[in-house]
Amino acid sequence: NAGVTQTPKFQVLKTGQSMTLQCAQDMNHNSMYWYRQDPGMGLRLIYYSASEGTTDKGEVPNGYNVSRLNKREFSLRLESAAPSQTSVYFCASSWEPTAYGYTFGSGTRLTVV
Amino acid sequence: AQSVTQLGSHVSVSEGALVLLRCNYSSSVPPYLFWYVQYPNQGLQLLLKYTTGATLVKGINGFEAEFKKSETSFHLTKPSAHMSDAAEYFCAVSDQAGGYQKVTFGTGTKLQVIP
């Protein structure tokens, strides 16, 4: 089925370890986004990519880096994981979010111990 | 700056009863408004959106929402709740800010449907 695919679905890291969350979409969307979801806080934007070759910081970028590898793929990297980064991470994509809204992946549940 | 307030983090209704989930927004420019639904252990799914035009917007699964500019509200309703409606619902507002179409999500309302 067409959509946004995220890997892995679950991950446990030790403090200080690094990892990359992968995201791919097959809808030919221009823009892609990484959000984190924490209880009672809704979704907060980490980074976004308005088009292939561009990336920009969102509300909570500290401790993260991103790569827009091509039009389909947008990865999120944690260089040195901290317990405060325990969260559920969602990737989303859109033709243009104002008019069309987002298509979300199913999420990555990350625990940092 | 835009913001979204969802009144009530938890709402319980009986099966067959009216569902009303409240959302108020603030935006310095005409907003675009959205409702998303999240089922357990899944990503968010777009329920409906208001961009321009008709202020009563119909979405999937029998939900609808009305944009009321004078009240800065975009409440979500469904005439008759079904057990399958149990989920978390997020209101979101979008406007242009410095060339970037910024989307702000509310903190969510968990809907419980009681048999």
Side-chain angles (χ1 to χ4, degrees), chain A residues 7-42:
Chain A
T7 56
K9 292 190 183 302
F10 301 93
Q11 184 71 47
V12 179
L13 289 179
K14 294 182 179 179
T15 297
Q17 286 185 319
S18 62
M19 79 162 295
T20 299
L21 282 63
Q22 305 286 354
C23 175
Q25 54 92 6
D26 58 5
M27 296 169 286
N28 204 34
H29 286 167
N30 293 321
S31 57
M32 298 186 73
Y33 307 80
W34 277 104
Y35 282 89
R36 60 178 289 172
Q37 183 180 30
D38 301 290
M41 302 190 75

Side-chain angles (χ1 to χ4, degrees), chain B residues 55-73:
Chain B
T55 56
L56 182 63
V57 180
K58 295 186 184 299
I60 61 172
N61 302 336
F63 284 92
E64 62 183 35
E66 187 171 10
F67 170 58
K68 291 187 176 180
K69 185 178 179 180
S70 61
E71 298 178 8
T72 61
S73 69

Side-chain angles (χ1 to χ4, degrees), chain A residues 35 37 40-43 45 48 59 90 96-102 104-106 109, chain B residues 32 34 36 38 41-44 46 49 51 88 90 94 100-103 105-107:
Chain A
Y35 282 89
Q37 183 180 30
M41 302 190 75
L43 277 78
L45 181 65
Y48 68 99
E59 301 170 63
F90 288 101
E96 192 281 306
T98 299
Y100 298 99
Y102 293 125
F104 281 88
S106 58
R109 190 172 295 273
Chain B
Y32 299 94
F34 305 84
Y36 288 85
Q38 184 180 31
N41 299 314
Q42 294 186 26
L44 281 71
L46 183 65
K49 63 182 187 287
T51 53
E88 189 160 19
F90 292 89
S94 171
Y100 158 57
Q101 285 141 344
K102 179 179 169 62
V103 177
F105 286 86
T107 54

